[in-house]
Amino acid sequence: MTPTLRTERLLLDPYVPGDEEGFVALFQDRRVSRWMGDGLASEAEYRALFRRIFTKVYAQDLFDVWAVRRDGLLIGHAEIKPTDAVHGYEIIYALAPEVWGSGLGREVAEALVAHGFDARGLTEVYATVAAPNSASLTLLDRIGFEHIRDIAEEDGGTTRVLMRRSDSLPGPCSADRRRVPTPGLPAVGGEPHRDR
C-alpha cells in the first residue's frame, strides 16, 4: 500500500477517484507532458492511465504512486518504481507549471529518495531525464545524483540515466531529515504509471 509522505510544504498521498480531472489536466499540459514518456497523449489515454492506478497499480501493490498536494490542492504526480533502463528503482515526478521555481521539485525528489532508502531499503535510486531538461538535471545534481550513462532514443533524442547511492546522501541521513527549498523543476522520469 502506498504510504503517505510529508515534506515541509507538501503532502504526497495515494490518489482518490476525485483526483481524475486534476490528473488529466496536469498531464495534458504540454509544458509537463513534453518531459514525460512519449510526450502528450490523448485525454482518453490519460483517463485510462488514471483508472489503472486503482485497478492495477494499487490493486496489485505494484509500486508507489502519489498525488502531490499543497494546501489541499493537487499540484503534481510522483512515483518510485522498477525501471527498464537499469535493474533498480527510479523516481518519477511532475509538477504543475504554476509552482515551478518555488523549490517544490526538490522537496518531492528528496521525499521520493528518502522513501526509497528508508522504507524500501534500496541502496541506489535512479532517475531518467531528457537531455534538454536542464532544470531537472541541475536539481538532481544538487541533491547527489550522478550521471551514469545516456540512452539514444528512437526519435533521435537522448535520455540521461542518473543514480544516487544511499551512502552519498547530502546532509543528515535520517528519516526525519529536513527538506530545504530550492528552485523547482518541470518533470523527471520516463513513462508515468505504465503497467508492469
Side-chain angles (χ1 to χ4, degrees):
M1 180 72 175
T2 297
T4 296
L5 307 178
R6 296 180 192 279
T7 72
E8 184 177 337
R9 296 175 289 172
L10 299 174
L11 174 69
L12 283 70
D13 64 351
Y15 280 102
V16 297
D19 291 326
E20 183 171 352
E21 297 307 317
F23 175 91
V24 171
L26 175 70
F27 285 103
Q28 283 211 292
D29 188 315
R30 290 180 186 278
R31 295 168 292 177
V32 173
S33 63
R34 73 180 286 209
W35 303 118
M36 302 300 291
D38 295 326
L40 186 63
S42 71
E43 179 179 339
E45 289 173 295
Y46 288 128
R47 290 190 187 283
L49 285 171
F50 183 78
R51 286 185 212 106
R52 282 201 301 270
I53 290 174
F54 297 94
T55 62
K56 185 154 183 135
V57 178
Y58 288 162
Q60 297 176 23
D61 199 21
L62 296 178
F63 50 88
D64 296 321
V65 178
W66 294 272
V68 178
R69 303 179 201 281
R70 183 175 187 193
D71 300 326
L73 299 175
L74 178 67
I75 62 159
H77 171 87
E79 306 176 16
I80 186 167
K81 68 177 188 178
T83 177
D84 295 331
V86 293
H87 297 294
Y89 279 75
E90 75 175 314
I91 61 171
I92 296 172
Y93 54 98
L95 295 175
E98 302 80 57
V99 301
W100 291 358
S102 62
L104 297 178
R106 182 174 182 145
E107 284 188 41
V108 172
E110 287 284 4
L112 296 176
V113 169
H115 174 72
F117 293 147
D118 298 341
R120 288 200 163 270
L122 303 175
T123 58
E124 309 171 332
V125 175
Y126 296 86
T128 56
V129 183
N133 191 347
S134 59
S136 292
L137 292 169
T138 299
L139 185 146
L140 292 169
D141 178 66
R142 287 182 183 158
I143 65 169
F145 277 82
E146 298 176 19
H147 174 246
I148 58 170
R149 70 181 170 98
D150 288 338
I151 299 171
E153 300 294 347
E154 291 178 13
D155 65 1
T158 301
T159 297
R160 303 278 157 112
V161 179
L162 311 170
M163 178 182 63
R164 181 164 151 182
R165 289 186 170 84
S166 61
D167 60 0
S168 67
L169 287 171
C173 295
S174 68
D176 63 346
R177 70 175 67 75
R178 299 211 25 110
R179 314 295 188 251
V180 180
T182 60
L185 72 161
V188 161
E191 301 176 72
H193 46 267
R194 299 286 189 223
D195 296 340
R196 290 263 171 232

